[in-house]
Amino acid sequence: MAEPRNAPPAKHLSGVGTARFPKLHEPDEFKGLRFFKTALILDPIPAAALIAIIDATMPEAERLMAEGVLVMAKAAKAKGKPAPKEQEQMVPYSNVMDPDTDEPTGQVVFNFKSSADQDVWVNKVKTGEKKARVIPFFDARGQPVLGKKPALWGGSKLRISFTPVPYH
């Protein structure tokens, strides 16, 4: 009997926010890994909707963390080393703090990241090859931006389409 197919991951669209350190035209490289990334600062109401979406994926991330800790504990025990310490699950958002008073401003900053290299698949099998990922840009009416990409700087207003992926 055929196995049931997994549903494709849900895509979401953030509210309009302010970009902080966007690297969406050229990937940022660190230790041989290349990523497109940006931080997006949102006001409280759109931020609450995004937090609810992200928090809905947290049980899956906690399950992955528990499995990872078990695997690491077994490996440490086999080598005669102490078990790893329990870790706290990190979330990709935090409150924006006022630099003068160190009080929260009510805004929330979200971190988004995507690999700049995609795996090449042939007949549901990875070939080991990589191809460059291109971040698509759309204008305010939702039409694709063709030709020259728009200038993006810190302070640019944008929305981000994303798929939350739990990880450990």
Side-chain angles (χ1 to χ4, degrees):
M1 182 172 186
E3 292 182 21
R5 291 186 179 186
N6 292 336
K11 292 186 179 183
H12 302 282
L13 188 62
S14 74
V16 176
T18 305
R20 182 192 287 177
F21 307 121
K23 295 288 286 181
L24 299 174
H25 293 300
E26 293 294 324
D28 196 19
E29 189 167 338
F30 180 69
K31 293 185 179 180
L33 300 174
R34 299 170 356 114
F35 292 98
F36 293 108
K37 62 184 184 177
T38 188
L40 187 68
I41 301 171
L42 291 175
D43 289 327
I45 293 174
L50 226 55
I51 288 171
I53 292 168
I54 292 168
D55 286 349
T57 66
M58 293 309 290
E60 176 68 12
E62 289 169 1
R63 184 188 65 75
L64 290 171
M65 180 181 285
E67 288 175 4
V69 168
L70 284 174
V71 169
M72 289 188 295
K74 285 180 183 178
K77 185 177 179 182
K79 293 180 180 179
K81 295 183 178 179
K85 295 180 181 177
E86 192 138 335
Q87 300 174 355
E88 183 178 324
Q89 182 64 38
M90 295 176 16
V91 291
Y93 59 86
S94 61
N95 290 322
V96 176
M97 305 302 271
D98 186 343
D100 297 330
T101 63
D102 282 339
E103 295 289 322
T105 62
Q107 294 179 317
V108 180
V109 62
F110 294 87
N111 298 312
F112 295 94
K113 178 168 81 169
S114 177
S115 174
D117 300 314
Q118 289 179 300
D119 291 322
V120 175
W121 291 75
V122 176
N123 296 330
K124 299 183 182 180
V125 177
K126 281 187 191 180
T127 64
E129 296 177 52
K130 301 270 187 190
K131 67 178 182 178
R133 173 175 283 149
V134 178
I135 301 290
F137 291 91
F138 298 88
D139 63 15
R141 288 180 248 127
Q143 302 300 316
V145 175
L146 303 174
K148 188 176 178 182
K149 295 180 182 177
L152 290 177
W153 304 97
S156 296
K157 298 290 184 184
L158 46 102
R159 295 174 82 182
I160 296 178
S161 175
F162 69 98
T163 302
V165 178
Y167 66 93
H168 165 67

